[in-house]
Amino acid sequence: MNKKFGELLFPLAVRQGTTYLIPILMIGSIALVFMSLPIPDYQMKMERWFGAGWKNIFLYIRDGSFNIYALLAVLCISYTFANTYNDKEGSKIPPIMVSVVSLCSFVTVFGISKSDFNLSTFGVTGIFVALLISFFSSLLFIKLSTISFPRMKSYADGAEPSFQYAMAAILPAAVTISVFAIVNCALIYFFGINNIQFFISKILNGIFHQLDSSFFSGVLFIFMIHVCWFFGIHGSNMMEPVAQNVFGAALYGNQFAIHAGESPIYIFTKTFFDNFVLMGGCGASLCLVLAILIAGKHKNLRKQAKLSIIPVLFNINELIIFGIPIILNPVYIIPFLFVPLLFTTISYLAMYLGFVPYTVHLVEWTTPILISGYFSTGSISGSILQLLNLAVGTLCYMPFVKAAENSRSKRFMSSLLRVIQAYKHAEEQGKKSALLNRYDEIGNISRFLTANLESALSKKNIQIYYQPQVNFKGEVFGAEALLKWEYGNYGVIYTPLVVALAEEAQIIDRLGYCIFDTACADLKKLNQLGITDVAMSVNVSAVQLENGQLVKDLEKLLKKYGVKAEHLKIEITERVALSGSKEILSSLKKVKDLGIQLALDDFGMGHNSLIYLKEYKFDTVKLDGSLIKELISNSNCENIVSSIVSLGKTLNYSVIAEYVEEEAQRQILHELGCDQYQGYLYSQALPYEQFISYLEKQRR
């Protein structure tokens, strides 16, 4: 791996791997909310309705989420690490093997057979070690798998590829797991470290105990949490031992002082940070959500904020943290680090100066703002302090929300170009694009576009433009309906890509229906204006023709709008025609039976398509654009066009020349016998109202 790749690979794997765990974190957090809601009446009623053990179901959910989080992180991060490595290096190492070996290495380091083994190391407290082992075990196994040395293989007839992979992985897996077993033994023998996580926790606890809960200790604690978060490490879980052993103990110290008739002595407690600093979760996410709702302009970002508002009120912020994302986002690093530090300072001063009582009551971190401020301090001034912090934090985030939107727009345009290039590359190779199944940036943008396309279809936000088709006399006899999907500030999305995504997402029927519905509605409007000699052409794909829904939709729309079938024309490309499937033949026959005309688009680029002119009984043939573009400079193009026009007279189909942009092209086509044109010489594609104006101008 080159240096740049080595630097980017693991952070990307951490970001993607932990994103996969969002549902698990959400489930565990919601279970904790239901279990710990600090409302006495709620707690009593739940016990009366469901018995003393009503919390057990939520405890079991916690066991299946938070308490195995480190194990799940090892699996997901190592799996995405291997996937990313394969994509970038062109390797074929099975990601599942990498994740299994990493999991084995993780368990090997902690040693279940140890007398002091603690299951809690498999939960959120073990996340730091999980990240380290995910990286080093994955990297070691992948490197060993690429080395050419004798491997155990099976050549049995009929052996599955997965079996072959498994046999080849035996030696690399054995070496990798053994290395971590040796590391474990070395830590015990040379350093007396039986548990890495406990050792790290001990060091951190020692550092913070020496600081004696001073102002600096609180600032350092908050800073470390957010630095970890920014680099993809669950900072709250990473620093949980310190939160419990240092600042949790401080809360108990305050309670002990109260019971002894003395004043509380510690400002910084776990409850202090949970309720006055981490409002909405790390980074004071509630402020970020409000800033987006106030200052944000991008529809999808605002939608994300609206979805996140309820969880964030309960300090569950994974949706906003991973959805934006905050992790490794340079635009948000300043407010993400600064706002919590500012809250720490403001809240510390408010309590130090006596405006707000010290925190003396344990309040679960899932308790909403205002309620938590009151219960933790026993005073309404605690809630007022939270409101002050909320207002200040929201104002701090607002300019960065605007900056992030600008950066997001530029990044999205760059990513969109990459998606278009990937689609065109697949198209040039004659392959069907599989953009939605990719787990890289291209796949993410493709899925994002598809989701927004579905939303646009539901809201009927798809526009249809009409490009006039004109004869030699300048009379408009038809128009091609062209899909134009404008997405936000990014302009019109490349139409072939939109169609490809719709096909892959299996919403092409909905898209096709929307286009035909609009075209038929506009055709009816034309007829009502007294224009009854203009036909509408609509492009359809092979997928639409193969599933049979198209014919049913056309029958429905012809009845709905009462337009004549002969005023509607379906265009298929030569590539679709050449597929020659029985389903397509059947659908086209049914379309013809309805009285709808057929047009063959891009004719002239294939070599075996002449027979299909008779097979499909086309009414119109549209010349391939490459012929027209080279018509002036290439005499062979003239000969091909002349042959197609001559054949049209024999087989009784009309010929339309597309991409006619110069008067010289039109004159040559006229001399060759082609008198129907479409292109910028006459007009670009127009919205319906402008198309009507163009028609009226031509008919004066």
Side-chain angles (χ1 to χ4, degrees):
M1 293 183 297
N2 58 51
K3 183 178 179 182
K4 184 178 179 182
F5 173 59
E7 291 171 349
L8 294 177
L9 180 60
F10 187 62
L12 180 62
V14 170
R15 195 163 65 243
Q16 292 182 347
T18 51
T19 300
Y20 291 137
L21 292 175
I22 289 177
I24 305 302
L25 288 171
M26 290 291 294
I27 291 167
S29 300
I30 291 169
L32 188 58
V33 168
F34 280 110
M35 183 175 67
S36 308
L37 201 63
I39 301 175
D41 190 48
Y42 164 79
Q43 297 284 338
M44 287 188 295
K45 285 184 177 179
M46 291 296 285
E47 185 171 345
R48 185 167 68 248
W49 291 341
F50 302 106
W54 71 273
K55 292 185 178 181
N56 287 343
I57 185 171
F58 301 113
L59 289 171
Y60 299 150
I61 292 173
R62 186 180 66 179
D63 289 342
S65 52
F66 287 148
N67 289 351
I68 59 167
Y69 185 78
L71 293 176
L72 298 174
V74 170
L75 287 171
C76 291
I77 292 170
S78 56
Y79 187 93
T80 53
F81 184 94
N83 250 337
T84 308
Y85 181 92
N86 287 340
D87 286 343
K88 291 184 179 290
E89 295 291 316
S91 303
K92 295 183 179 180
I93 299 169
I96 188 66
M97 287 299 304
V98 179
S99 59
V100 167
V101 170
S102 292
L103 180 62
C104 294
S105 302
F106 179 74
V107 175
T108 298
V109 167
F110 279 108
I112 294 177
S113 301
K114 293 179 181 178
S115 58
D116 61 346
F117 171 73
N118 193 316
L119 273 173
S120 66
T121 54
F122 288 167
V124 292
T125 57
I127 188 63
F128 180 69
V129 179
L131 291 173
L132 291 177
I133 294 176
S134 296
F135 174 64
F136 288 111
S137 63
S138 298
L139 188 60
L140 179 58
F141 177 76
I142 288 171
K143 285 295 185 182
L144 291 172
S145 297
T146 57
I147 295 174
S148 297
F149 50 73
R151 302 180 187 180
M152 297 179 65
K153 295 183 179 180
S154 172
Y155 296 97
D157 291 338
E160 292 288 337
S162 56
F163 181 73
Q164 301 286 2
Y165 284 128
M167 296 300 292
I170 290 176
L171 192 53
V175 173
T176 302
I177 295 170
S178 298
V179 165
F180 284 93
I182 293 170
V183 169
N184 192 6
C185 291
L187 289 172
I188 296 171
Y189 184 80
F190 293 107
F191 304 101
I193 301 173
N194 286 309
N195 187 301
I196 298 177
Q197 184 62 44
F198 291 168
F199 175 72
I200 294 171
S201 298
K202 184 178 179 181
I203 292 175
L204 291 174
N205 288 336
I207 293 173
F208 281 90
H209 274 300
Q210 288 179 7
L211 295 174
D212 196 27
S213 286
S214 65
F215 177 76
F216 180 70
S217 72
V219 170
L220 180 62
F221 174 71
I222 290 299
F223 180 76
M224 289 181 67
I225 284 179
H226 289 83
V227 167
C228 288
W229 263 112
F230 185 77
F231 287 101
I233 302 171
H234 200 298
S236 304
N237 294 338
M238 178 67 193
M239 299 298 293
E240 184 66 14
V242 174
Q244 294 292 347
N245 298 328
V246 178
F247 299 110
L251 178 67
Y252 295 134
N254 284 350
Q255 292 175 339
F256 181 80
I258 293 291
H259 291 150
E262 301 174 358
S263 298
I265 55 176
Y266 297 111
I267 292 179
F268 286 147
T269 66
K270 185 177 185 302
T271 299
F272 172 93
F273 294 118
D274 287 345
N275 299 322
F276 296 101
V277 178
L278 306 177
M279 294 193 303
C282 63
S285 299
L286 182 57
C287 298
L288 172 57
V289 169
L290 291 178
I292 291 172
L293 293 176
I294 294 170
K297 302 296 182 183
H298 284 216
K299 181 174 62 176
N300 285 286
L301 191 62
R302 290 178 59 82
K303 183 178 180 182
Q304 180 109 39
K306 290 176 183 177
L307 289 173
S308 302
I309 188 68
I310 298 300
V312 163
L313 286 174
F314 291 96
N315 302 316
I316 302 170
N317 67 344
E318 280 75 15
L319 280 178
I320 199 74
I321 291 297
F322 293 101
I324 287 181
I326 294 294
I327 291 174
L328 297 177
N329 189 330
V331 178
Y332 280 113
I333 187 171
I334 294 176
F336 189 74
L337 293 176
F338 173 74
V339 170
L341 293 175
L342 181 62
F343 285 2
T344 302
T345 304
I346 292 173
S347 302
Y348 180 90
L349 290 174
M351 293 184 183
Y352 181 79
L353 296 174
F355 295 117
V356 179
Y358 288 17
T359 52
V360 294
H361 301 293
L362 177 64
V363 177
E364 283 291 345
W365 62 270
T366 52
T367 306
I369 186 176
L370 303 183
I371 298 174
S372 61
Y374 176 79
F375 276 108
S376 63
T377 61
S379 169
I380 192 65
S381 60
S383 300
I384 295 172
L385 175 58
Q386 287 182 317
L387 285 175
L388 173 65
N389 284 346
L390 185 65
V392 171
T394 303
L395 289 173
C396 289
Y397 264 113
M398 284 173 64
F400 292 94
V401 168
K402 295 177 181 178
E405 286 192 338
N406 293 334
S407 175
R408 186 187 181 110
S409 296
K410 294 177 183 177
R411 192 168 62 250
F412 182 85
M413 284 303 300
S414 176
S415 299
L416 180 59
L417 290 175
R418 289 187 61 199
V419 173
I420 294 171
Q421 288 170 0
Y423 168 76
K424 287 182 176 179
H425 181 68
E427 191 177 37
E428 288 169 1
Q429 293 183 327
K431 297 179 181 178
K432 196 168 185 178
S433 61
L435 300 172
L436 300 182
N437 292 329
R438 296 179 59 154
Y439 289 92
D440 54 5
E441 184 183 13
I442 290 174
N444 291 335
I445 295 296
S446 298
R447 286 185 289 275
F448 178 77
L449 283 174
T450 303
N452 282 277
L453 176 60
E454 288 194 73
S455 175
L457 286 172
S458 299
K459 297 176 182 178
K460 296 184 178 180
N461 286 340
I462 300 294
Q463 287 186 300
I464 304 300
Y465 281 40
Y466 299 96
Q467 186 168 32
Q469 295 170 336
V470 184
N471 63 23
F472 186 72
K473 296 178 181 179
E475 300 167 339
V476 178
F477 65 88
E480 181 178 0
L482 298 170
L483 169 66
K484 300 286 183 180
W485 179 41
E486 287 194 49
Y487 177 64
N489 299 322
Y490 305 112
V492 177
I493 305 299
Y494 183 55
T495 300
L497 173 64
V498 176
V499 174
L501 291 174
E503 289 181 347
E504 195 174 344
Q506 298 182 351
I507 57 172
I508 188 63
D509 286 336
R510 289 178 59 193
L511 178 61
Y513 185 87
C514 178
I515 295 170
F516 272 108
D517 184 65
T518 304
C520 288
D522 290 343
L523 182 58
K524 181 179 180 179
K525 292 177 187 176
L526 281 178
N527 293 341
Q528 290 172 340
L529 292 172
I531 303 172
T532 58
D533 56 351
V534 173
M536 291 289 191
S537 299
V538 181
N539 294 278
V540 298
S541 70
V543 175
Q544 290 173 272
L545 290 168
E546 285 176 338
N547 62 21
Q549 183 62 38
L550 175 65
V551 178
K552 297 176 183 177
D553 289 343
L554 289 172
E555 286 184 294
K556 179 180 177 181
L557 291 170
L558 288 174
K559 292 178 182 178
K560 178 180 178 181
Y561 292 104
V563 295
K564 293 181 179 180
E566 59 266 27
H567 289 166
L568 199 60
K569 186 182 294 184
I570 283 181
E571 292 189 18
I572 65 171
T573 63
E574 189 176 14
R575 185 176 299 175
V576 173
L578 288 171
S579 66
S581 72
K582 293 181 180 179
E583 291 81 7
I584 290 177
L585 282 169
S586 175
S587 293
L588 289 176
K589 184 178 183 303
K590 291 176 181 177
V591 167
K592 287 288 288 183
D593 290 342
L594 289 174
I596 296 173
Q597 298 185 62
L598 289 182
L600 178 61
D601 199 6
D602 297 333
F603 184 76
M605 68 179 183
H607 303 285
N608 302 307
S609 57
L610 293 178
I611 190 172
Y612 292 102
L613 290 176
K614 182 179 179 182
E615 185 72 35
Y616 289 100
K617 298 180 181 178
F618 288 104
D619 301 284
T620 301
V621 164
K622 301 181 76 173
L623 297 174
D624 182 47
S626 62
L627 293 173
I628 309 304
K629 291 174 182 177
E630 298 181 28
L631 191 62
I632 298 174
S633 60
N634 191 335
S635 60
N636 288 332
C637 293
E638 289 189 34
N639 295 331
I640 295 172
V641 171
S642 177
S643 298
I644 295 173
V645 171
S646 178
L647 187 61
K649 294 176 181 177
T650 303
L651 297 180
N652 197 30
Y653 62 76
S654 60
V655 178
I656 297 178
E658 292 187 286
Y659 299 97
V660 178
E661 299 176 355
E662 301 176 32
E663 177 61 33
Q665 291 173 322
R666 186 183 82 107
Q667 192 58 42
I668 293 172
L669 287 166
H670 174 63
E671 292 171 1
L672 295 174
C674 178
D675 289 333
Q676 294 185 340
Y677 318 108
Q678 179 180 338
Y680 284 0
L681 177 63
Y682 294 97
S683 174
Q684 62 182 357
L686 303 169
Y688 175 75
E689 296 300 332
Q690 293 181 29
F691 176 63
I692 293 297
S693 299
Y694 180 87
L695 278 174
E696 291 174 345
K697 182 179 178 181
Q698 293 295 317
R699 292 179 180 233
R700 286 174 186 167

